[in-house]
Amino acid sequence: DTTVKQNPRYKLARVGKPVNLICSQTMNHDTMYWYQKKPNQAPKLLLFYYDKILNREADTFEKFQSSRPNNSFCSLYIGSAGLEYSAMYLCASSRGRDGDEQYFGPGTRLTVL
Amino acid sequence: TQTVSQSDAHVTVFEGDSVELRCNYSYGGSIYLSWYIQHHGHGLQFLLKYYSGNPVVQGVNGFEAEFSKSDSSFHLRKASVHWSDSAVYFCAVSSMSNYNVLYFGSGTKLTVEP
């Protein structure tokens, strides 16, 4: 099974409230990634886990948290949502080796009001 | 810093036409170049990749891409498109020893009309 699952598919949040997005894969992949995608923009890497080690991009370091309680699951946490967080959030996984393809979930569309 | 540029936001062709989707990149080190496709409502799916060797690489469903070091390009082509090829196509770069992190272009939406 090469499916990456994301829950929920759609999320409505109020400004200032927390948001937690979930991703899972059963391919035993070492690496799981979170990207943010806004309309007419490139998917942008937010952070990734290689095994149990979290790596966050410098410009989003303080805005997003994540946890990976086991190899299959990875969450993306926003402590206090702002309007600018409205976007599609894409989860992906791969073996993490150079050139390996990434497998993507269908995304979670977050709307912050 | 890697940058990936897809100059055409939208491309419209007719079924049976050939198509080329353009991708230019900027990076000085050893990289992998890849293309992903996203059908509406679905996740991105891998199409093909290039690292070294023959500059023309074949992917699924009749797609191929050609690497050009002199032009810093990795254009995607298909000789005869089908309506089911309508999707958004993303070009991406990943560098060696960086956990396969992808840096994407902004995508090209391909519409194939009957």
Side-chain angles (χ1 to χ4, degrees), chain A residues 9 31 33 35 37 40-43 45 48 50 57 90 94 96-102 104-106, chain B residues 10 32 36 38 41-46 49 90 94-106:
Chain A
R9 291 291 304 273
T31 313
Y33 313 81
Y35 295 86
K37 172 81 173 70
N40 303 315
Q41 295 183 20
L45 179 74
F48 68 94
Y50 176 71
E57 291 291 275
L90 308 175
S94 85
R97 299 169 200 170
D98 290 341
D100 280 355
E101 65 179 280
Q102 290 190 17
F104 283 81
Chain B
H10 300 274
Y32 290 85
Y36 283 76
Q38 185 179 29
H42 295 270
L44 278 73
Q45 284 184 289
F46 174 79
K49 71 181 178 188
F90 293 95
S94 60
S95 59
M96 296 285 285
S97 304
N98 191 31
Y99 303 100
N100 203 31
V101 168
L102 294 172
Y103 296 92
F104 287 95
S106 54

mmCIF file of all heavy atoms in Angstrom, chain A residues 9 31 33 35 37 40-43 45 48 50 57 90 94 96-102 104-106, chain B residues 10 32 36 38 41-46 49 90 94-106:
data_model
loop_
_atom_site.group_PDB
_atom_site.id
_atom_site.type_symbol
_atom_site.label_atom_id
_atom_site.label_comp_id
_atom_site.label_asym_id
_atom_site.label_seq_id
_atom_site.Cartn_x
_atom_site.Cartn_y
_atom_site.Cartn_z
ATOM 1 N N ARG A 9 -9.619 16.176 5.725
ATOM 2 C CA ARG A 9 -9.401 16.697 4.370
ATOM 3 C C ARG A 9 -9.686 18.207 4.327
ATOM 4 O O ARG A 9 -9.066 18.933 3.560
ATOM 5 C CB ARG A 9 -10.303 15.987 3.365
ATOM 6 C CG ARG A 9 -9.949 14.530 3.138
ATOM 7 C CD ARG A 9 -8.608 14.381 2.413
ATOM 8 N NE ARG A 9 -8.574 15.092 1.153
ATOM 9 C CZ ARG A 9 -8.986 14.593 -0.002
ATOM 10 N NH1 ARG A 9 -9.501 13.371 -0.053
ATOM 11 N NH2 ARG A 9 -8.891 15.310 -1.120
ATOM 12 N N THR A 31 11.345 9.054 6.282
ATOM 13 C CA THR A 31 11.197 10.503 6.256
ATOM 14 C C THR A 31 9.764 10.901 5.929
ATOM 15 O O THR A 31 9.143 10.339 5.028
ATOM 16 C CB THR A 31 12.146 11.115 5.208
ATOM 17 O OG1 THR A 31 13.445 10.548 5.371
ATOM 18 C CG2 THR A 31 12.256 12.621 5.388
ATOM 19 N N TYR A 33 7.354 14.532 5.448
ATOM 20 C CA TYR A 33 7.478 15.962 5.162
ATOM 21 C C TYR A 33 6.116 16.646 5.256
ATOM 22 O O TYR A 33 5.088 16.040 4.961
ATOM 23 C CB TYR A 33 7.993 16.186 3.735
ATOM 24 C CG TYR A 33 9.179 15.355 3.301
ATOM 25 C CD1 TYR A 33 9.014 14.046 2.860
ATOM 26 C CD2 TYR A 33 10.463 15.898 3.283
ATOM 27 C CE1 TYR A 33 10.096 13.292 2.436
ATOM 28 C CE2 TYR A 33 11.551 15.143 2.851
ATOM 29 C CZ TYR A 33 11.359 13.842 2.434
ATOM 30 O OH TYR A 33 12.438 13.094 2.011
ATOM 31 N N TYR A 35 4.437 20.178 3.610
ATOM 32 C CA TYR A 35 4.551 21.320 2.718
ATOM 33 C C TYR A 35 3.280 22.167 2.849
ATOM 34 O O TYR A 35 2.198 21.655 3.097
ATOM 35 C CB TYR A 35 4.666 20.874 1.256
ATOM 36 C CG TYR A 35 5.914 20.093 0.905
ATOM 37 C CD1 TYR A 35 5.966 18.709 1.083
ATOM 38 C CD2 TYR A 35 7.029 20.731 0.383
ATOM 39 C CE1 TYR A 35 7.100 17.983 0.745
ATOM 40 C CE2 TYR A 35 8.167 20.013 0.040
ATOM 41 C CZ TYR A 35 8.193 18.634 0.230
ATOM 42 O OH TYR A 35 9.323 17.919 -0.109
ATOM 43 N N LYS A 37 0.889 24.777 0.628
ATOM 44 C CA LYS A 37 0.635 25.177 -0.752
ATOM 45 C C LYS A 37 -0.468 26.233 -0.783
ATOM 46 O O LYS A 37 -1.597 25.974 -0.337
ATOM 47 C CB LYS A 37 0.211 23.950 -1.582
ATOM 48 C CG LYS A 37 -0.275 24.249 -2.994
ATOM 49 C CD LYS A 37 0.852 24.440 -3.949
ATOM 50 C CE LYS A 37 0.377 24.559 -5.394
ATOM 51 N NZ LYS A 37 -0.343 25.805 -5.654
ATOM 52 N N ASN A 40 -1.549 29.380 -6.729
ATOM 53 C CA ASN A 40 -0.600 29.968 -7.674
ATOM 54 C C ASN A 40 0.818 30.087 -7.111
ATOM 55 O O ASN A 40 1.630 30.862 -7.640
ATOM 56 C CB ASN A 40 -1.076 31.344 -8.140
ATOM 57 C CG ASN A 40 -2.461 31.289 -8.760
ATOM 58 O OD1 ASN A 40 -2.750 30.402 -9.558
ATOM 59 N ND2 ASN A 40 -3.333 32.200 -8.363
ATOM 60 N N GLN A 41 1.093 29.348 -6.066
ATOM 61 C CA GLN A 41 2.439 29.330 -5.508
ATOM 62 C C GLN A 41 2.984 27.905 -5.484
ATOM 63 O O GLN A 41 2.227 26.933 -5.542
ATOM 64 C CB GLN A 41 2.462 29.905 -4.092
ATOM 65 C CG GLN A 41 2.099 31.371 -4.021
ATOM 66 C CD GLN A 41 2.209 31.912 -2.607
ATOM 67 O OE1 GLN A 41 2.888 31.339 -1.753
ATOM 68 N NE2 GLN A 41 1.531 33.020 -2.358
ATOM 69 N N ALA A 42 4.282 27.796 -5.376
ATOM 70 C CA ALA A 42 4.907 26.487 -5.271
ATOM 71 C C ALA A 42 4.659 25.891 -3.891
ATOM 72 O O ALA A 42 4.596 26.630 -2.896
ATOM 73 C CB ALA A 42 6.409 26.611 -5.511
ATOM 74 N N PRO A 43 4.520 24.574 -3.803
ATOM 75 C CA PRO A 43 4.519 23.946 -2.478
ATOM 76 C C PRO A 43 5.808 24.325 -1.745
ATOM 77 O O PRO A 43 6.905 24.268 -2.322
ATOM 78 C CB PRO A 43 4.480 22.448 -2.795
ATOM 79 C CG PRO A 43 3.879 22.358 -4.162
ATOM 80 C CD PRO A 43 4.362 23.589 -4.881
ATOM 81 N N LEU A 45 8.258 23.768 1.598
ATOM 82 C CA LEU A 45 8.589 22.895 2.716
ATOM 83 C C LEU A 45 8.483 23.651 4.035
ATOM 84 O O LEU A 45 9.024 24.753 4.186
ATOM 85 C CB LEU A 45 10.006 22.348 2.563
ATOM 86 C CG LEU A 45 10.464 21.440 3.702
ATOM 87 C CD1 LEU A 45 9.771 20.079 3.610
ATOM 88 C CD2 LEU A 45 11.972 21.275 3.695
ATOM 89 N N PHE A 48 10.405 18.583 8.201
ATOM 90 C CA PHE A 48 10.383 17.153 7.928
ATOM 91 C C PHE A 48 11.024 16.403 9.086
ATOM 92 O O PHE A 48 11.835 16.956 9.841
ATOM 93 C CB PHE A 48 11.082 16.814 6.600
ATOM 94 C CG PHE A 48 12.572 17.041 6.582
ATOM 95 C CD1 PHE A 48 13.457 16.012 6.865
ATOM 96 C CD2 PHE A 48 13.084 18.283 6.233
ATOM 97 C CE1 PHE A 48 14.832 16.228 6.827
ATOM 98 C CE2 PHE A 48 14.451 18.506 6.186
ATOM 99 C CZ PHE A 48 15.335 17.484 6.489
ATOM 100 N N TYR A 50 13.287 13.067 9.813
ATOM 101 C CA TYR A 50 14.070 11.912 9.392
ATOM 102 C C TYR A 50 14.176 11.020 10.627
ATOM 103 O O TYR A 50 14.830 11.381 11.603
ATOM 104 C CB TYR A 50 15.450 12.302 8.884
ATOM 105 C CG TYR A 50 16.280 11.099 8.539
ATOM 106 C CD1 TYR A 50 15.970 10.331 7.424
ATOM 107 C CD2 TYR A 50 17.346 10.692 9.340
ATOM 108 C CE1 TYR A 50 16.707 9.208 7.105
ATOM 109 C CE2 TYR A 50 18.087 9.573 9.028
ATOM 110 C CZ TYR A 50 17.762 8.827 7.912
ATOM 111 O OH TYR A 50 18.488 7.711 7.607
ATOM 112 N N GLU A 57 12.295 24.444 8.629
ATOM 113 C CA GLU A 57 12.841 25.530 7.833
ATOM 114 C C GLU A 57 12.975 26.781 8.704
ATOM 115 O O GLU A 57 12.150 27.040 9.579
ATOM 116 C CB GLU A 57 11.942 25.828 6.631
ATOM 117 C CG GLU A 57 11.932 24.735 5.588
ATOM 118 C CD GLU A 57 13.236 24.599 4.845
ATOM 119 O OE1 GLU A 57 13.439 25.337 3.856
ATOM 120 O OE2 GLU A 57 14.051 23.748 5.254
ATOM 121 N N LEU A 90 0.209 19.730 2.588
ATOM 122 C CA LEU A 90 0.531 18.463 1.940
ATOM 123 C C LEU A 90 1.520 17.683 2.786
ATOM 124 O O LEU A 90 2.554 18.213 3.179
ATOM 125 C CB LEU A 90 1.152 18.715 0.564
ATOM 126 C CG LEU A 90 0.392 19.639 -0.377
ATOM 127 C CD1 LEU A 90 1.200 19.879 -1.646
ATOM 128 C CD2 LEU A 90 -0.963 19.053 -0.718
ATOM 129 N N SER A 94 8.988 9.480 2.187
ATOM 130 C CA SER A 94 9.925 8.816 1.284
ATOM 131 C C SER A 94 10.942 8.065 2.130
ATOM 132 O O SER A 94 10.997 8.222 3.354
ATOM 133 C CB SER A 94 10.626 9.807 0.353
ATOM 134 O OG SER A 94 11.758 10.374 0.972
ATOM 135 N N GLY A 96 13.848 8.811 2.052
ATOM 136 C CA GLY A 96 14.795 9.826 2.474
ATOM 137 C C GLY A 96 16.156 9.720 1.818
ATOM 138 O O GLY A 96 17.053 10.492 2.118
ATOM 139 N N ARG A 97 16.295 8.752 0.923
ATOM 140 C CA ARG A 97 17.584 8.623 0.235
ATOM 141 C C ARG A 97 17.580 9.498 -1.004
ATOM 142 O O ARG A 97 16.544 9.788 -1.593
ATOM 143 C CB ARG A 97 17.821 7.163 -0.139
ATOM 144 C CG ARG A 97 17.868 6.270 1.072
ATOM 145 C CD ARG A 97 17.847 4.807 0.710
ATOM 146 N NE ARG A 97 17.430 4.021 1.858
ATOM 147 C CZ ARG A 97 17.133 2.733 1.809
ATOM 148 N NH1 ARG A 97 17.199 2.086 0.678
ATOM 149 N NH2 ARG A 97 16.767 2.092 2.901
ATOM 150 N N ASP A 98 18.754 9.928 -1.401
ATOM 151 C CA ASP A 98 18.878 10.841 -2.526
ATOM 152 C C ASP A 98 18.106 10.344 -3.740
ATOM 153 O O ASP A 98 18.307 9.220 -4.209
ATOM 154 C CB ASP A 98 20.352 11.019 -2.900
ATOM 155 C CG ASP A 98 21.115 11.811 -1.854
ATOM 156 O OD1 ASP A 98 20.459 12.516 -1.054
ATOM 157 O OD2 ASP A 98 22.347 11.725 -1.836
ATOM 158 N N GLY A 99 17.232 11.205 -4.247
ATOM 159 C CA GLY A 99 16.520 10.910 -5.481
ATOM 160 C C GLY A 99 15.289 10.063 -5.341
ATOM 161 O O GLY A 99 14.567 9.877 -6.319
ATOM 162 N N ASP A 100 15.022 9.526 -4.150
ATOM 163 C CA ASP A 100 13.815 8.706 -3.993
ATOM 164 C C ASP A 100 12.574 9.556 -4.198
ATOM 165 O O ASP A 100 12.506 10.696 -3.752
ATOM 166 C CB ASP A 100 13.765 8.082 -2.605
ATOM 167 C CG ASP A 100 14.636 6.854 -2.499
ATOM 168 O OD1 ASP A 100 15.216 6.431 -3.525
ATOM 169 O OD2 ASP A 100 14.736 6.303 -1.392
ATOM 170 N N GLU A 101 11.572 8.950 -4.830
ATOM 171 C CA GLU A 101 10.347 9.697 -5.016
ATOM 172 C C GLU A 101 9.649 9.888 -3.683
ATOM 173 O O GLU A 101 9.793 9.085 -2.762
ATOM 174 C CB GLU A 101 9.416 8.992 -5.999
ATOM 175 C CG GLU A 101 8.905 7.657 -5.520
ATOM 176 C CD GLU A 101 7.969 7.008 -6.524
ATOM 177 O OE1 GLU A 101 6.781 7.407 -6.564
ATOM 178 O OE2 GLU A 101 8.413 6.117 -7.248
ATOM 179 N N GLN A 102 8.903 10.987 -3.624
ATOM 180 C CA GLN A 102 8.062 11.216 -2.460
ATOM 181 C C GLN A 102 6.646 10.791 -2.801
ATOM 182 O O GLN A 102 6.168 10.982 -3.918
ATOM 183 C CB GLN A 102 8.097 12.689 -2.054
ATOM 184 C CG GLN A 102 9.442 13.107 -1.463
ATOM 185 C CD GLN A 102 9.406 14.477 -0.840
ATOM 186 O OE1 GLN A 102 8.340 15.025 -0.560
ATOM 187 N NE2 GLN A 102 10.579 15.040 -0.594
ATOM 188 N N PHE A 104 2.757 11.459 -1.825
ATOM 189 C CA PHE A 104 1.988 12.539 -1.230
ATOM 190 C C PHE A 104 0.584 12.089 -0.846
ATOM 191 O O PHE A 104 -0.050 11.288 -1.548
ATOM 192 C CB PHE A 104 1.861 13.704 -2.210
ATOM 193 C CG PHE A 104 3.098 14.545 -2.318
ATOM 194 C CD1 PHE A 104 4.158 14.151 -3.109
ATOM 195 C CD2 PHE A 104 3.197 15.729 -1.595
ATOM 196 C CE1 PHE A 104 5.317 14.919 -3.191
ATOM 197 C CE2 PHE A 104 4.339 16.509 -1.665
ATOM 198 C CZ PHE A 104 5.400 16.101 -2.466
ATOM 199 N N GLY A 105 0.102 12.667 0.239
ATOM 200 C CA GLY A 105 -1.298 12.542 0.577
ATOM 201 C C GLY A 105 -2.132 13.531 -0.223
ATOM 202 O O GLY A 105 -1.584 14.384 -0.933
ATOM 203 N N PRO A 106 -3.457 13.446 -0.089
ATOM 204 C CA PRO A 106 -4.346 14.323 -0.865
ATOM 205 C C PRO A 106 -4.385 15.758 -0.361
ATOM 206 O O PRO A 106 -4.892 16.642 -1.042
ATOM 207 C CB PRO A 106 -5.715 13.666 -0.706
ATOM 208 C CG PRO A 106 -5.622 12.952 0.595
ATOM 209 C CD PRO A 106 -4.209 12.484 0.719
ATOM 210 N N HIS B 10 -0.416 28.406 -17.259
ATOM 211 C CA HIS B 10 -1.491 27.651 -17.900
ATOM 212 C C HIS B 10 -1.070 27.320 -19.329
ATOM 213 O O HIS B 10 -0.509 28.168 -20.036
ATOM 214 C CB HIS B 10 -2.777 28.471 -17.960
ATOM 215 C CG HIS B 10 -3.296 28.881 -16.625
ATOM 216 N ND1 HIS B 10 -4.124 28.081 -15.860
ATOM 217 C CD2 HIS B 10 -3.096 30.009 -15.896
ATOM 218 C CE1 HIS B 10 -4.411 28.710 -14.732
ATOM 219 N NE2 HIS B 10 -3.804 29.870 -14.720
ATOM 220 N N TYR B 32 19.062 16.373 -8.107
ATOM 221 C CA TYR B 32 18.098 15.552 -8.827
ATOM 222 C C TYR B 32 17.009 16.489 -9.340
ATOM 223 O O TYR B 32 16.597 17.425 -8.637
ATOM 224 C CB TYR B 32 17.457 14.512 -7.909
ATOM 225 C CG TYR B 32 18.393 13.416 -7.488
ATOM 226 C CD1 TYR B 32 19.228 13.571 -6.393
ATOM 227 C CD2 TYR B 32 18.433 12.216 -8.183
ATOM 228 C CE1 TYR B 32 20.092 12.565 -5.998
ATOM 229 C CE2 TYR B 32 19.284 11.197 -7.793
ATOM 230 C CZ TYR B 32 20.114 11.380 -6.711
ATOM 231 O OH TYR B 32 20.964 10.378 -6.327
ATOM 232 N N TYR B 36 6.354 16.064 -11.013
ATOM 233 C CA TYR B 36 5.214 15.468 -10.344
ATOM 234 C C TYR B 36 3.949 15.981 -11.012
ATOM 235 O O TYR B 36 3.908 17.099 -11.521
ATOM 236 C CB TYR B 36 5.199 15.852 -8.860
ATOM 237 C CG TYR B 36 6.191 15.087 -8.010
ATOM 238 C CD1 TYR B 36 7.549 15.403 -8.052
ATOM 239 C CD2 TYR B 36 5.779 14.052 -7.174
ATOM 240 C CE1 TYR B 36 8.468 14.705 -7.281
ATOM 241 C CE2 TYR B 36 6.689 13.350 -6.397
ATOM 242 C CZ TYR B 36 8.024 13.676 -6.458
ATOM 243 O OH TYR B 36 8.942 12.979 -5.695
ATOM 244 N N GLN B 38 -0.349 16.464 -10.487
ATOM 245 C CA GLN B 38 -1.440 16.492 -9.526
ATOM 246 C C GLN B 38 -2.769 16.632 -10.243
ATOM 247 O O GLN B 38 -3.078 17.692 -10.793
ATOM 248 C CB GLN B 38 -1.271 17.629 -8.523
ATOM 249 C CG GLN B 38 -2.332 17.606 -7.420
ATOM 250 C CD GLN B 38 -2.167 18.705 -6.402
ATOM 251 O OE1 GLN B 38 -1.656 19.784 -6.688
ATOM 252 N NE2 GLN B 38 -2.596 18.436 -5.176
ATOM 253 N N GLY B 41 -8.055 17.155 -6.854
ATOM 254 C CA GLY B 41 -8.544 16.409 -5.701
ATOM 255 C C GLY B 41 -7.637 15.290 -5.235
ATOM 256 O O GLY B 41 -7.983 14.560 -4.293
ATOM 257 N N HIS B 42 -6.485 15.150 -5.870
ATOM 258 C CA HIS B 42 -5.569 14.063 -5.509
ATOM 259 C C HIS B 42 -4.207 14.619 -5.091
ATOM 260 O O HIS B 42 -3.902 15.788 -5.307
ATOM 261 C CB HIS B 42 -5.399 13.108 -6.690
ATOM 262 C CG HIS B 42 -6.656 12.389 -7.046
ATOM 263 N ND1 HIS B 42 -7.008 11.169 -6.504
ATOM 264 C CD2 HIS B 42 -7.666 12.718 -7.889
ATOM 265 C CE1 HIS B 42 -8.167 10.790 -7.004
ATOM 266 N NE2 HIS B 42 -8.595 11.705 -7.839
ATOM 267 N N GLY B 43 -3.413 13.766 -4.498
ATOM 268 C CA GLY B 43 -2.074 14.156 -4.107
ATOM 269 C C GLY B 43 -1.126 14.180 -5.299
ATOM 270 O O GLY B 43 -1.422 13.644 -6.360
ATOM 271 N N LEU B 44 0.022 14.813 -5.099
ATOM 272 C CA LEU B 44 1.034 14.831 -6.152
ATOM 273 C C LEU B 44 1.560 13.412 -6.380
ATOM 274 O O LEU B 44 1.743 12.640 -5.433
ATOM 275 C CB LEU B 44 2.217 15.726 -5.758
ATOM 276 C CG LEU B 44 2.077 17.232 -5.969
ATOM 277 C CD1 LEU B 44 1.137 17.856 -4.950
ATOM 278 C CD2 LEU B 44 3.457 17.894 -5.917
ATOM 279 N N GLN B 45 1.802 13.088 -7.656
ATOM 280 C CA GLN B 45 2.341 11.768 -8.006
ATOM 281 C C GLN B 45 3.595 11.936 -8.820
ATOM 282 O O GLN B 45 3.658 12.764 -9.732
ATOM 283 C CB GLN B 45 1.317 10.977 -8.822
ATOM 284 C CG GLN B 45 0.171 10.399 -8.021
ATOM 285 C CD GLN B 45 -0.729 9.553 -8.899
ATOM 286 O OE1 GLN B 45 -1.450 10.072 -9.731
ATOM 287 N NE2 GLN B 45 -0.658 8.253 -8.717
ATOM 288 N N PHE B 46 4.567 11.117 -8.513
ATOM 289 C CA PHE B 46 5.850 11.146 -9.203
ATOM 290 C C PHE B 46 5.694 10.726 -10.668
ATOM 291 O O PHE B 46 5.009 9.746 -10.973
ATOM 292 C CB PHE B 46 6.794 10.191 -8.481
ATOM 293 C CG PHE B 46 8.122 9.980 -9.152
ATOM 294 C CD1 PHE B 46 9.129 10.922 -9.021
ATOM 295 C CD2 PHE B 46 8.355 8.831 -9.883
ATOM 296 C CE1 PHE B 46 10.350 10.721 -9.614
ATOM 297 C CE2 PHE B 46 9.579 8.623 -10.484
ATOM 298 C CZ PHE B 46 10.584 9.563 -10.350
ATOM 299 N N LYS B 49 12.392 11.293 -13.033
ATOM 300 C CA LYS B 49 13.489 12.051 -12.419
ATOM 301 C C LYS B 49 14.751 11.872 -13.260
ATOM 302 O O LYS B 49 14.888 10.929 -14.045
ATOM 303 C CB LYS B 49 13.753 11.587 -10.996
ATOM 304 C CG LYS B 49 14.390 10.206 -10.905
ATOM 305 C CD LYS B 49 14.612 9.801 -9.453
ATOM 306 C CE LYS B 49 15.201 8.385 -9.387
ATOM 307 N NZ LYS B 49 15.249 7.884 -7.994
ATOM 308 N N PHE B 90 4.220 19.828 -11.666
ATOM 309 C CA PHE B 90 5.217 20.528 -10.856
ATOM 310 C C PHE B 90 6.609 19.993 -11.165
ATOM 311 O O PHE B 90 6.833 18.779 -11.149
ATOM 312 C CB PHE B 90 4.951 20.336 -9.366
ATOM 313 C CG PHE B 90 3.691 20.991 -8.876
ATOM 314 C CD1 PHE B 90 2.510 20.280 -8.789
ATOM 315 C CD2 PHE B 90 3.691 22.327 -8.496
ATOM 316 C CE1 PHE B 90 1.349 20.876 -8.329
ATOM 317 C CE2 PHE B 90 2.534 22.934 -8.036
ATOM 318 C CZ PHE B 90 1.360 22.211 -7.952
ATOM 319 N N SER B 94 15.960 18.538 -5.963
ATOM 320 C CA SER B 94 16.447 18.139 -4.644
ATOM 321 C C SER B 94 17.961 17.993 -4.727
ATOM 322 O O SER B 94 18.495 17.603 -5.768
ATOM 323 C CB SER B 94 15.800 16.829 -4.184
ATOM 324 O OG SER B 94 16.097 15.772 -5.084
ATOM 325 N N SER B 95 18.619 18.339 -3.639
ATOM 326 C CA SER B 95 20.073 18.287 -3.664
ATOM 327 C C SER B 95 20.578 17.044 -2.936
ATOM 328 O O SER B 95 19.866 16.448 -2.133
ATOM 329 C CB SER B 95 20.671 19.551 -3.050
ATOM 330 O OG SER B 95 20.242 19.702 -1.722
ATOM 331 N N MET B 96 21.799 16.704 -3.221
ATOM 332 C CA MET B 96 22.402 15.514 -2.603
ATOM 333 C C MET B 96 22.517 15.716 -1.097
ATOM 334 O O MET B 96 22.782 16.812 -0.619
ATOM 335 C CB MET B 96 23.793 15.282 -3.194
ATOM 336 C CG MET B 96 23.795 14.970 -4.671
ATOM 337 S SD MET B 96 23.248 13.309 -5.010
ATOM 338 C CE MET B 96 24.681 12.385 -4.507
ATOM 339 N N SER B 97 22.320 14.629 -0.388
ATOM 340 C CA SER B 97 22.549 14.620 1.058
ATOM 341 C C SER B 97 21.700 15.642 1.813
ATOM 342 O O SER B 97 22.168 16.235 2.782
ATOM 343 C CB SER B 97 24.041 14.857 1.364
ATOM 344 O OG SER B 97 24.817 13.881 0.698
ATOM 345 N N ASN B 98 20.501 15.855 1.365
ATOM 346 C CA ASN B 98 19.590 16.767 2.063
ATOM 347 C C ASN B 98 18.254 16.100 2.296
ATOM 348 O O ASN B 98 17.196 16.722 2.148
ATOM 349 C CB ASN B 98 19.425 18.070 1.283
ATOM 350 C CG ASN B 98 18.702 19.134 2.090
ATOM 351 O OD1 ASN B 98 18.802 19.175 3.311
ATOM 352 N ND2 ASN B 98 17.951 19.975 1.413
ATOM 353 N N TYR B 99 18.297 14.788 2.614
ATOM 354 C CA TYR B 99 17.085 14.050 2.969
ATOM 355 C C TYR B 99 16.005 14.110 1.897
ATOM 356 O O TYR B 99 14.830 14.000 2.193
ATOM 357 C CB TYR B 99 16.528 14.552 4.307
ATOM 358 C CG TYR B 99 17.535 14.442 5.420
ATOM 359 C CD1 TYR B 99 18.261 15.548 5.829
ATOM 360 C CD2 TYR B 99 17.771 13.213 6.040
ATOM 361 C CE1 TYR B 99 19.200 15.443 6.848
ATOM 362 C CE2 TYR B 99 18.707 13.105 7.056
ATOM 363 C CZ TYR B 99 19.418 14.223 7.452
ATOM 364 O OH TYR B 99 20.344 14.110 8.453
ATOM 365 N N ASN B 100 16.432 14.296 0.667
ATOM 366 C CA ASN B 100 15.487 14.245 -0.442
ATOM 367 C C ASN B 100 14.432 15.339 -0.376
ATOM 368 O O ASN B 100 13.345 15.197 -0.912
ATOM 369 C CB ASN B 100 14.819 12.866 -0.483
ATOM 370 C CG ASN B 100 14.286 12.517 -1.837
ATOM 371 O OD1 ASN B 100 14.818 12.939 -2.854
ATOM 372 N ND2 ASN B 100 13.206 11.764 -1.857
ATOM 373 N N VAL B 101 14.722 16.438 0.297
ATOM 374 C CA VAL B 101 13.789 17.557 0.352
ATOM 375 C C VAL B 101 13.591 18.125 -1.051
ATOM 376 O O VAL B 101 14.550 18.314 -1.789
ATOM 377 C CB VAL B 101 14.328 18.659 1.292
ATOM 378 C CG1 VAL B 101 13.531 19.935 1.132
ATOM 379 C CG2 VAL B 101 14.306 18.180 2.725
ATOM 380 N N LEU B 102 12.338 18.386 -1.401
ATOM 381 C CA LEU B 102 12.020 18.905 -2.730
ATOM 382 C C LEU B 102 11.753 20.404 -2.689
ATOM 383 O O LEU B 102 11.081 20.895 -1.784
ATOM 384 C CB LEU B 102 10.778 18.206 -3.293
ATOM 385 C CG LEU B 102 10.919 16.718 -3.598
ATOM 386 C CD1 LEU B 102 9.563 16.122 -3.961
ATOM 387 C CD2 LEU B 102 11.909 16.493 -4.724
ATOM 388 N N TYR B 103 12.281 21.106 -3.690
ATOM 389 C CA TYR B 103 11.970 22.516 -3.910
ATOM 390 C C TYR B 103 11.254 22.593 -5.249
ATOM 391 O O TYR B 103 11.798 22.207 -6.277
ATOM 392 C CB TYR B 103 13.244 23.363 -3.894
ATOM 393 C CG TYR B 103 13.908 23.337 -2.541
ATOM 394 C CD1 TYR B 103 14.893 22.404 -2.251
ATOM 395 C CD2 TYR B 103 13.516 24.215 -1.534
ATOM 396 C CE1 TYR B 103 15.483 22.349 -0.992
ATOM 397 C CE2 TYR B 103 14.099 24.179 -0.280
ATOM 398 C CZ TYR B 103 15.078 23.238 -0.013
ATOM 399 O OH TYR B 103 15.653 23.182 1.235
ATOM 400 N N PHE B 104 10.024 23.105 -5.176
ATOM 401 C CA PHE B 104 9.128 23.040 -6.317
ATOM 402 C C PHE B 104 9.037 24.358 -7.079
ATOM 403 O O PHE B 104 9.242 25.438 -6.523
ATOM 404 C CB PHE B 104 7.702 22.720 -5.841
ATOM 405 C CG PHE B 104 7.494 21.310 -5.400
ATOM 406 C CD1 PHE B 104 7.595 20.965 -4.066
ATOM 407 C CD2 PHE B 104 7.166 20.320 -6.314
ATOM 408 C CE1 PHE B 104 7.387 19.662 -3.649
ATOM 409 C CE2 PHE B 104 6.943 19.011 -5.909
ATOM 410 C CZ PHE B 104 7.055 18.688 -4.563
ATOM 411 N N GLY B 105 8.674 24.237 -8.354
ATOM 412 C CA GLY B 105 8.172 25.377 -9.092
ATOM 413 C C GLY B 105 6.706 25.596 -8.746
ATOM 414 O O GLY B 105 6.096 24.793 -8.032
ATOM 415 N N SER B 106 6.138 26.659 -9.285
ATOM 416 C CA SER B 106 4.763 27.022 -8.932
ATOM 417 C C SER B 106 3.718 26.239 -9.719
ATOM 418 O O SER B 106 2.528 26.387 -9.468
ATOM 419 C CB SER B 106 4.545 28.524 -9.124
ATOM 420 O OG SER B 106 4.912 28.903 -10.434
#
